[in-house]
Amino acid sequence: MIVVMKLGSSDEQVAGVIKRIEAAGLKEHLSRGVERTIIGVLGRTFPELRDMLEMLPGVDEVIPVSKPYKLCSREFHPQDTTVKVGGTTIGGNEIVVIAGPCAVENEQQLLETAKAVKAAGATILRGGVFKPSTSPYHFRGLGEPGLQLLAQIKKETGLPVITEVMSPHEVELVASYADILQIGARNMQNFNLLEEVGRSGKPAMLKRGLSATVQEWLLAAEYILAQGNQQLMLCERGIRTFETYTRNTMDISVIPVIEKVSHLPIIADPSHGTGKWYLVAPMALAAAAAGADGLMIEVHPNPDLALKDGAQSLNFGNFQQFMSQLRPVAAAVGRSVASPPLEVKS
Ligand code: PEP
Ligand code: MN
């Protein structure tokens, strides 16, 4: 359940409610909005608690939350969450484009790609260095030297970077280089990893699992939020269906679903969502029209030679063309496309 405090309720009254929640053996989660303070009650609540809390001074109403996920629900947090990375805000009116190679391969590949995607209008650079791989015989990433390359190219281009972290004991290491921690589809229910990312306090992006329902995905997000990390966004990357023409089935409908039930920003990844480069732009445009807060696109200088996911990667020309299509689509739904940082920060 959630406790909605009256407009202008005092700190003392909020403290009184928290004390009562704790006395019942439950935990609270405080959310102070511009207008209202809302206190989430976490744990096994009981019907009498509603009346007890409703009688306390400063309480406006107590609303039972019907959904199993709480901290990520709109009921608990009506305003959109925004994630701040460098000078970019994700979850506001601007659509943020995250682009770069599936995997960091070498300095030249990363630098060339970063410059090209920035020139075309991307705001954040992606590049995997710890690669989850279905086959142990495929390229599994450069590891820490790849993180160093990401940090170097970030310095040279001013683009913040996102990269995947696969295990709880690597969270500290990856967080020391990256601006955003990515949790991949295969790790959506690695609960120890989720909690460690939650404890890191670092901006994070949680991808939807290969066959995860919306509820399973949001409950996974709950693990991160419950550790006190509110800088979280979700990413739809396609789900497994009976269809084999595409690598996954890109679930565009989940974008407005997430917007309805959760306050977290939603990113769309049509590269993994389709597995085919020529489907990336149409699905990215559809995702933008459906309300995505950001798009994650794989780009490679020479997709035919990519060590990973070449078939779904755009070359520079195709990426640039896509960006010019994106701007009018964003404008048509009352949004704009975020601009890359002008200055290179030293
Ligand atoms: C990736 O972004 O490179 C990746 C491995 O994605 P996913 O976890 O969605 O398969
Ligand atoms: Mn990939």
Side-chain angles (χ1 to χ4, degrees):
M1 61 183 66
I2 57 176
V3 181
V4 181
M5 300 300 292
K6 284 187 180 139
L7 283 175
S9 57
S10 68
D11 288 351
E12 212 180 344
Q13 290 171 331
V14 171
V17 173
I18 290 175
K19 206 169 149 197
R20 190 67 198 82
I21 293 169
E22 288 175 351
L26 299 162
K27 282 193 171 169
E28 82 289 340
H29 192 285
L30 191 60
S31 169
R32 280 190 194 275
V34 187
E35 294 200 341
R36 290 275 171 137
T37 295
I38 294 177
I39 306 168
V41 187
L42 306 177
R44 272 188 177 275
T45 55
F46 44 93
E48 300 77 28
L49 185 66
R50 185 173 178 183
D51 295 337
M52 287 181 199
L53 292 172
E54 220 149 34
M55 284 179 337
L56 294 178
V59 172
D60 190 8
E61 55 177 336
V62 178
I63 308 168
V65 178
S66 46
K67 310 210 172 59
Y69 44 87
K70 296 186 171 35
L71 300 178
C72 63
S73 76
R74 274 243 184 246
E75 283 163 306
F76 171 61
H77 192 289
Q79 318 88 327
D80 289 339
T81 279
T82 53
V83 174
K84 304 224 166 45
V85 182
T88 303
T89 298
I90 307 159
N93 193 52
E94 292 183 326
I95 299 174
V96 172
V97 178
I98 304 168
C102 177
V104 175
E105 298 172 9
N106 55 58
E107 183 182 343
Q108 196 195 346
Q109 171 240 21
L110 190 62
L111 181 59
E112 264 184 44
T113 311
K115 284 184 174 165
V117 299
K118 183 180 173 184
T123 316
I124 297 171
L125 176 67
R126 65 149 287 146
V129 302
F130 293 108
K131 293 302 304 174
S133 185
T134 301
S135 163
Y137 309 119
H138 291 165
F139 182 55
R140 294 171 67 189
L142 297 180
E144 192 171 354
L147 290 175
Q148 288 161 354
L149 279 179
L150 282 170
Q152 180 194 324
I153 304 306
K154 171 187 170 175
K155 219 170 158 193
E156 289 181 37
T157 60
L159 290 177
V161 296
I162 177 168
T163 195
E164 178 160 354
V165 57
M166 290 208 298
S167 72
H169 69 266
E170 281 162 349
V171 168
E172 203 182 328
L173 173 75
V174 178
S176 70
Y177 290 97
D179 297 283
I180 308 172
L181 301 174
Q182 174 172 322
I183 298 162
R186 291 157 190 80
N187 270 315
M188 188 202 83
Q189 285 187 318
N190 180 341
F191 300 117
N192 294 335
L193 175 64
L194 299 176
E195 289 192 324
E196 199 53 43
V197 167
R199 281 190 285 270
S200 79
K202 196 92 186 172
M205 186 180 84
L206 176 66
K207 286 191 144 195
R208 184 179 186 180
L210 306 181
S211 303
T213 63
V214 168
Q215 183 160 311
E216 288 162 342
W217 188 17
L218 291 175
L219 283 170
E222 203 78 6
Y223 275 84
I224 298 172
L225 297 172
Q227 294 303 318
N229 187 355
Q230 313 305 311
Q231 289 289 283
L232 179 63
M233 50 193 147
L234 300 168
C235 176
E236 159 63 28
R237 47 77 72 205
I239 47 173
R240 184 160 293 187
T241 67
F242 56 83
E243 184 53 70
T244 55
Y245 184 83
T246 43
R247 179 178 178 184
N248 292 295
T249 296
M250 183 76 193
D251 185 3
I252 301 282
S253 68
V254 89
I255 295 165
V257 168
I258 293 297
E259 203 191 338
K260 177 171 154 52
V261 301
S262 176
H263 52 90
L264 298 175
I266 172 80
I267 311 297
D269 170 356
S271 306
H272 295 89
T274 64
K276 297 196 161 143
W277 72 268
Y278 56 88
L279 298 177
V280 169
M283 287 299 102
L285 297 174
D293 297 299
L295 303 166
M296 181 185 245
I297 315 268
E298 287 188 338
V299 179
H300 193 280
N302 190 343
D304 291 347
L305 300 180
L307 294 183
K308 215 152 175 76
D309 287 351
Q312 65 192 36
S313 299
L314 298 189
N315 62 26
F316 298 163
N318 286 332
F319 180 68
Q320 202 180 13
Q321 192 188 353
F322 156 69
M323 289 299 289
S324 61
Q325 294 169 326
L326 177 61
R327 293 186 185 96
V329 171
V333 289
R335 303 190 72 176
S336 56
V337 179
S339 312
L342 294 173
E343 303 286 322
V344 174
K345 288 187 212 98
S346 55

